[in-house]
Amino acid sequence: MEFTPVIGLEVHAQLKTRTKIFCSCSTAFGAPPNTHTCPVCLGMPGVLPVLNKKVVDYTIKMALATHCTVQPESRFARKNYFYPDLPKGYQISQYELPIATGGYLDIDVDGRSLRIGITRIHMEEDAGKLIHDPDRPISRVDLNRTGTPLMEIVSEPDIRSPEAAGEYLRRLRAILRYLDISDGNMEEGSFRCDANISIMPDGSTVFGTRAEVKNLNSFKHVEKALYYEIARQKEILLDGGQVVQETRLWQPDKGQTVSMRGKEDAHDYRYFPDPDLLPLVIDDGWVDRMRAQMPELPAQRQARYMADYGLSPADARVLTGSRELSDYFEACLAVFDQPKTVANWIMGDLLGLLNTRGVEIENTPVSPENLAGLLELLDADVISGKIAKTVFEAMAETGRPAKTIVEEKGLVQVSDTSAIDPIVDAVIAGSPDEVERYRGGQKKLMGFFVGQVMKQTRGKANPKVVNEILAKKLG
Amino acid sequence: MKITKAEVLHVAHLARLDIGDSDVDRLAGQIGTILDYVDTLKQVDTTGVPATSHAITLTNAFREDELQSHLDPEAALANAPEKDDGAFAVPKVI
């Protein structure tokens, strides 16, 4: 029997504010332990949390970007549980009345467009950090992160494959970064994901019992963990067993999920409205102000690249996959306005280089100005296509402009017939057999002659001129 | 209102209260009495009164995203029963 997976994702994105959600402490990462605290985030008695307006601004933007309805009135609630990283004994979150509900995100998987529903978006505070001592029976509590603003984005159980889950997350992250409201860095924990997954027999509409998988700290691990869970649940069902509803922890080193026993009874959170925080009322004017500040989003840029530049949907999607890559593309166009050529070089040579080196576009050794400069030289026939590849590699090594490299290495393309003529003559004189076969009808040998001339000129001869001279001389 | 022994133990566990067996029956009675008293509110006719979470009609209190001074870490840790290396120290949780 074959099964269909049913996946819903909960994403926590850390918002890029300067200060915490309910107090004026810094959210900066990496400070010495407990130096970014105050009586509010330490949970001292008698203190009053006050909402950071920017957290609301950012969340409204995310709601608009994901087609959610911004609720005119929402409310904060206390989620009660005990853990040493939670000084108050409760987390301030939103429960019954979240700030935004009922949106969607369109993603592309294998050339098919899929619409993933978004159930809700809400605001909450982060907990502190625990560092477990390897030698002594203690854990150290650092409350710098306590109160850092988080936005939780909950999807509908609309996702049907690990690939679609990965694509949904990448798209969500891209939007956060286009909006400039979160770093979206999974490895550093500013973008975290929990997955709810069950399986049902193909054709069924009744969802199976789900497991919640935690500790998914990279896109790759999300997909791997979901594949593992699908296989695990399938085996249980085929053996006639039943999947247990539970929380499971992904162990990246072992490539498996394990049950987190003892957590089950912790789910009695006794949510209730936080009396310290007033109801949040958002009027249309506020939403309109945020809408007016919205930048172009990936889907809009993709459409523009297709309409204005004639790029294919696949190419437009790659180039808009991250704001940084898309900005790079546009910075190139500002200098060299041939979108298709620029797109091909970015997706081929540049992304190839970045992949090989394992660096992100933000740290590219070849600046957009330098790449555009190279393409200008190529377009003006100053260098040949072959030399352009050499210059690109040199730019990647040195970070210097194409023009400087071409001049220093004497790579300027030779188009002067008086310079190429003698070389062509020498090649013809040195290959009597090939000349005879060519004249006998083997026209394919033209490639051989061109190759020989290019070799003699170390790639500098203009291939078009070489072709013309050869055609004339070979008759 | 009748509160069972199991309910008392559950609530005690959620609050991390260590109560003795001998206390359970007494507490069950007391909690029941308190809940009965709160139930007095049910006698009020609330037809047409919207549900609310706050007794006052104020909404929207905000701060701007502006940094202010932090507490001295020594002051932050002053009340900690155990501290270690600038951090609160707790029995190992993992």
Side-chain angles (χ1 to χ4, degrees):
Chain A
M1 200 193 319
E2 289 304 310
F3 292 90
T4 303
V6 175
I7 301 163
L9 297 175
E10 293 173 14
V11 168
H12 286 90
Q14 185 181 320
L15 293 171
K16 253 170 95 171
T17 54
R18 294 180 64 212
T19 65
K20 296 184 179 183
I21 181 169
F22 298 120
C23 64
S24 304
C25 290
S26 168
T27 54
F29 185 77
N34 298 300
T35 52
H36 289 176
T37 67
C38 74
V40 174
C41 55
L42 287 173
M44 297 291 182
V47 296
L48 204 58
V50 185
L51 181 58
N52 183 339
K53 196 167 181 216
K54 191 150 259 172
V55 172
V56 184
D57 286 347
Y58 285 179
T59 312
I60 292 173
K61 286 185 181 179
M62 191 59 187
L64 292 173
T66 52
H67 314 276
C68 285
T69 304
V70 176
Q71 292 300 323
E73 182 166 340
S74 71
R75 199 155 73 182
F76 286 94
R78 292 184 181 180
K79 177 180 180 176
N80 300 280
Y81 65 95
F82 289 112
Y83 211 66
D85 62 6
L86 192 73
K88 297 193 297 298
Y90 60 86
Q91 177 195 28
I92 305 178
S93 180
Q94 295 194 294
Y95 186 56
E96 284 163 301
L97 295 175
I99 182 169
T101 55
Y104 63 86
L105 192 64
D106 288 332
I107 59 169
D108 284 284
V109 181
D110 297 331
R112 278 201 316 141
S113 181
L114 302 172
R115 177 158 291 185
I116 309 300
I118 291 182
T119 315
R120 58 184 278 156
I121 299 178
H122 71 248
M123 301 168 284
E124 62 186 29
E125 59 177 349
D126 205 350
K129 204 169 74 180
L130 285 169
I131 302 125
H132 310 292
D133 194 296
D135 304 317
R136 295 166 52 198
I138 60 164
S139 297
R140 289 183 187 79
V141 189
D142 174 8
L143 299 179
N144 283 347
R145 200 179 63 187
T146 308
T148 297
L150 298 178
M151 187 168 61
E152 181 171 338
I153 305 154
V154 182
S155 89
E156 290 287 307
D158 288 346
I159 301 166
R160 292 288 174 272
S161 72
E163 291 79 14
E167 193 50 35
Y168 168 83
L169 292 173
R170 276 186 282 269
R171 196 67 172 190
L172 213 53
R173 177 177 180 273
I175 292 174
L176 289 166
R177 292 178 63 97
Y178 270 73
L179 291 172
D180 200 23
I181 59 174
S182 172
D183 287 334
N185 190 323
M186 263 189 136
E187 283 77 11
E188 285 175 15
S190 61
F191 185 88
R192 301 169 225 160
C193 171
D194 299 333
N196 285 298
I197 173 162
S198 63
I199 59 172
M200 60 183 178
D202 278 1
S204 169
T205 51
V206 183
F207 293 174
T209 306
R210 69 172 193 268
E212 184 182 5
V213 186
K214 288 185 177 288
N215 194 36
L216 305 171
N217 55 9
S218 79
F219 292 112
K220 210 167 63 192
H221 284 307
V222 171
E223 295 188 25
K224 276 191 187 171
L226 290 173
Y227 271 118
Y228 178 87
E229 262 308 293
I230 291 166
R232 184 186 72 87
Q233 295 185 13
K234 190 171 162 181
E235 200 175 306
I236 292 173
L237 294 183
L238 289 177
D239 284 351
Q242 287 195 328
V243 174
V244 181
Q245 183 167 340
E246 60 181 352
T247 302
R248 298 181 68 85
L249 187 75
W250 169 246
Q251 298 182 317
D253 47 334
K254 295 186 180 137
Q256 63 181 28
T257 65
V258 290
S259 178
M260 288 173 76
R261 279 181 220 290
K263 270 261 173 183
E264 289 92 313
D265 67 339
H267 280 301
D268 193 347
Y269 291 131
R270 294 146 291 142
Y271 282 96
F272 66 90
D274 192 318
D276 286 344
L277 286 151
L278 297 171
L280 172 61
V281 173
I282 300 170
D283 60 16
D284 291 345
W286 193 348
V287 176
D288 288 342
R289 275 199 309 284
M290 291 304 111
R291 189 179 280 118
Q293 289 178 18
M294 296 282 280
E296 194 180 33
L297 293 172
Q300 294 163 316
R301 271 203 187 181
Q302 193 181 325
R304 180 163 63 84
Y305 288 2
M306 287 158 62
D308 294 0
Y309 301 151
L311 298 185
S312 72
D315 290 357
R317 191 161 56 246
V318 171
L319 290 172
T320 53
S322 80
R323 182 176 186 163
E324 290 73 18
L325 186 64
S326 183
D327 287 348
Y328 184 100
F329 173 64
E330 297 192 7
C332 287
L333 290 187
V335 181
F336 181 73
D337 192 20
Q338 292 189 23
K340 282 189 184 173
T341 307
V342 174
N344 287 337
W345 274 82
I346 289 178
M347 290 186 296
D349 299 84
L350 183 71
L351 289 184
L353 170 77
L354 298 180
N355 277 340
T356 311
R357 295 205 181 171
V359 295
E360 299 293 322
I361 184 75
E362 297 92 294
N363 304 314
T364 173
V366 180
S367 71
E369 293 73 24
N370 285 357
L371 178 59
L374 173 69
L375 300 183
E376 279 183 318
L377 295 179
L378 181 60
D379 188 55
D381 271 343
V382 175
I383 54 170
S384 68
K386 191 170 175 334
I387 292 295
K389 304 277 178 191
T390 312
V391 176
F392 181 82
E393 279 165 29
M395 289 198 301
E397 289 306 317
T398 63
R400 303 168 76 194
K403 197 155 178 282
T404 315
I405 292 167
V406 168
E407 280 166 5
E408 279 184 6
K409 296 195 171 182
L411 297 172
V412 174
Q413 177 163 260
V414 179
S415 304
D416 181 0
T417 48
S418 65
I420 298 173
D421 259 344
I423 300 166
V424 170
D425 289 341
V427 166
I428 289 175
S431 322
D433 289 355
E434 285 82 1
V435 172
E436 198 175 318
R437 279 158 55 203
Y438 177 85
R439 289 185 172 140
Q442 288 191 33
K443 300 295 180 198
K444 274 196 303 191
L445 280 168
M446 179 57 98
F448 163 79
F449 293 115
V450 174
Q452 289 296 309
V453 176
M454 296 307 288
K455 202 171 153 190
Q456 298 287 325
T457 59
R458 286 184 298 139
K460 288 192 289 186
N462 182 336
K464 206 169 130 230
V465 177
V466 172
N467 265 288
E468 282 166 12
I469 297 174
L470 274 168
K472 204 166 67 194
K473 290 190 189 263
L474 288 168
Chain B
M1 188 181 286
K2 178 76 185 141
I3 298 296
T4 66
K5 197 173 164 175
E7 284 170 323
V8 174
L9 290 172
H10 177 61
V11 171
H13 173 68
L14 286 174
R16 300 297 185 270
L17 292 175
D18 190 10
I19 56 171
D21 279 349
S22 57
D23 295 324
V24 176
D25 285 333
R26 183 172 53 84
L27 287 168
Q30 289 180 354
I31 294 170
T33 307
I34 293 166
L35 291 175
D36 283 340
Y37 179 64
V38 173
D39 267 353
T40 314
L41 287 169
K42 285 187 178 163
Q43 293 167 20
V44 182
D45 180 8
T46 55
T47 318
V49 179
T52 180
S53 56
H54 291 72
I56 47 174
T57 53
L58 285 176
T59 58
N60 288 8
F62 299 117
R63 12 175 299 275
E64 295 302 319
D65 187 26
E66 284 162 10
L67 203 61
Q68 283 181 17
S69 62
H70 296 116
L71 206 55
D72 187 311
E74 278 179 28
L77 292 164
N79 294 330
E82 301 284 341
K83 52 197 137 183
D84 194 282
D85 217 2
F88 299 87
V90 298
K92 200 166 199 166
V93 278
I94 199 153

